[in-house]
Amino acid sequence: VPVFLFVAAPYIRRYVAGGRCKSTARLEGKVVIITGANTGIGKETARDLAQRGARVIIACRDTVKAEAAASEIRAETGNQQVVVKKLDLADTKSIREFAEKFLAEEKKLHILINNAGVMFCPYSKTADGFEMHLGVNHLGHFLLTFLLLERLKQSAPARIVNVSSLAHHGGRIRFHDLHGEKSYNRGLAYCHSKLANVLFTRELARRLQGKLLYSAIGTKVTANALHPGSVYSDLVRHSFVMTWLWKIFSFFLKTPCEGAQTSIYCAVAEELDSVTGQYFSDCQPAYISPRGRDDETAKKLWSVSCELLGIQWD
């Protein structure tokens, strides 16, 4: 068995690594925002896009960690246009302040990657009283996209990339208990928020492109979602059991660099220029759960999200 494992190990690793973004697209003159890019797949996505020549804005709550990541990326890529801006997705005041400063300082925005997320949090609420998973993973990015959308339209062609998860298959939008006050399970709360990412992406694509859902005519702003794979990162830090399992089975998990490939693919691949409202995994289209394809739920979630955030987004 040890001999077999030794021989098979490279093949197993290659399989686990999954698809790679093969595009050689350059991004000089392009402006990118990546939320949560101080660690994990966000950091690796920032590294790759900086290598391609983009101006990369790392939007993070922990600016000390983000500055360290940005400094590392600048030194490695030689791209000095990697900057850090404070953004706390658990606080709508912080989101609005970030957007206001960005719009005042940057005249273009070509790629918005809604990457940041929380996972398996003990029950808690954001500054605005939203359940943490829903508040950060969905509502925070929903508001951020709303505030930056006009700049994306002005900079078109532009792309919005939402990092969801295979976990969306286990999710439901529980309109009767969105904030988990009646019942709460940290694993299911994560699944619900990832389903919200898929539904948001599809409804956003529909609204941006008019009636032709999968055609990027109209605003020339596309919106796609993705599953990065099971990645060895600190996203599971809130769960002792998952942290333990992640360490034991790390050989069978993607590295952050491997996990970033589909985010990068959705951001730069030339063949996706006119593709929108889709869901990808391993740099190729992937199956969306029936609940993730429920357009009526997507429309209702959009309306409820606007109501919760106090915005009008027609």
Side-chain angles (χ1 to χ4, degrees), residues 203 206-207 294-304:
E203 180 63 10
R206 187 187 72 79
R207 288 167 177 261
D294 187 332
D295 292 337
E296 288 310 307
T297 301
K299 289 171 186 173
K300 185 174 179 182
L301 177 63
W302 185 284
S303 174
V304 170

Side-chain angles (χ1 to χ4, degrees), residues 9 13 29 32 75 84 112 114 157 169 180 187 194-195 224 276 284 290 314:
R13 275 302 314 155
V32 180
V84 172
L112 170 62
N114 291 319
H169 286 268
K194 294 290 103 178
L195 174 59
N224 290 299
T276 192
Q284 59 187 9
D314 298 322

